[in-house]
Amino acid sequence: MAERMEVKNDLRRGPRGSGEYVRSSPHFFRLVKRAFWGGLVALALLSLVVPAPLLDPANPGAPPNPAKSAWFLLWTQEVVSHGNGFAWIIVGLSLWFLALPWLGMHRPERAVWFGEGNRAAAWTTIAVFAAILSMTVLAMFFRGENWSLVSPF
């Protein structure tokens, strides 16, 4: 009986920021559920306001020029447009990011941004993110017919 009261008291003190152990079951997952439903409602309302532009049905005899990928893949199309060999850079970076959690598992401070011993990984991540973002913007707005550079203005 005393154990039950102890656990109950820990749960009462935990969510108020006392630094005690807090069970994630009711507290954390309620926030996740609210965020999910809020995002879903926002997306549904946004879909009513912003139309999804659809092109004509695909015609193999007259493909669009330029044929662009979906926005989240435009950066890879931009990389490959400079040569097929550059796709190996994407593969290498992907493998590096997949292995990143296991690189230096013996040091727990690696989980902190710009912590001692992981500054190179943090700066590499920021540089890769900036490069992907800039290539996406370049491919989306500054590429025209035959994938040539154009001004969007």
Side-chain angles (χ1 to χ4, degrees):
M1 185 72 171
E3 284 181 25
R4 261 194 219 160
M5 288 300 286
E6 222 173 282
V7 170
K8 198 171 188 180
N9 288 338
D10 282 345
L11 289 175
R12 285 185 189 151
R13 283 193 309 251
R16 292 173 182 40
S18 66
E20 298 287 328
Y21 174 75
V22 179
R23 293 179 188 235
S24 61
S25 182
H27 307 293
F28 177 69
F29 291 118
R30 283 182 189 153
L31 291 174
V32 170
K33 189 168 104 176
R34 288 179 190 147
F36 169 75
W37 285 110
L40 189 67
V41 167
L43 187 63
L45 292 175
L46 193 62
S47 71
L48 294 174
V49 178
V50 179
L54 296 176
L55 300 174
D56 296 332
N59 182 0
N65 187 9
K68 291 186 179 180
S69 301
W71 67 269
F72 52 87
L73 292 174
L74 277 176
W75 69 276
T76 57
Q77 189 174 4
E78 180 68 29
V79 169
V80 174
S81 73
H82 297 288
N84 290 339
F86 289 112
W88 287 107
I89 295 173
I90 297 172
V91 171
L93 281 172
S94 300
L95 291 175
W96 184 72
F97 279 122
L98 283 173
L100 195 57
W102 291 279
L103 297 176
M105 275 181 55
H106 57 280
R107 296 195 319 234
E109 69 269 7
R110 301 246 332 158
V112 178
W113 273 97
F114 296 104
E116 201 170 314
N118 73 338
R119 285 193 177 101
W123 280 114
T124 304
T125 302
I126 290 173
V128 168
F129 172 75
I132 288 173
L133 185 65
S134 63
M135 284 187 285
T136 301
V137 169
L138 176 72
M140 185 175 283
F141 299 112
F142 295 96
R143 289 296 184 179
E145 197 169 310
N146 295 326
W147 208 252
S148 62
L149 285 173
V150 296
S151 174
F153 309 109

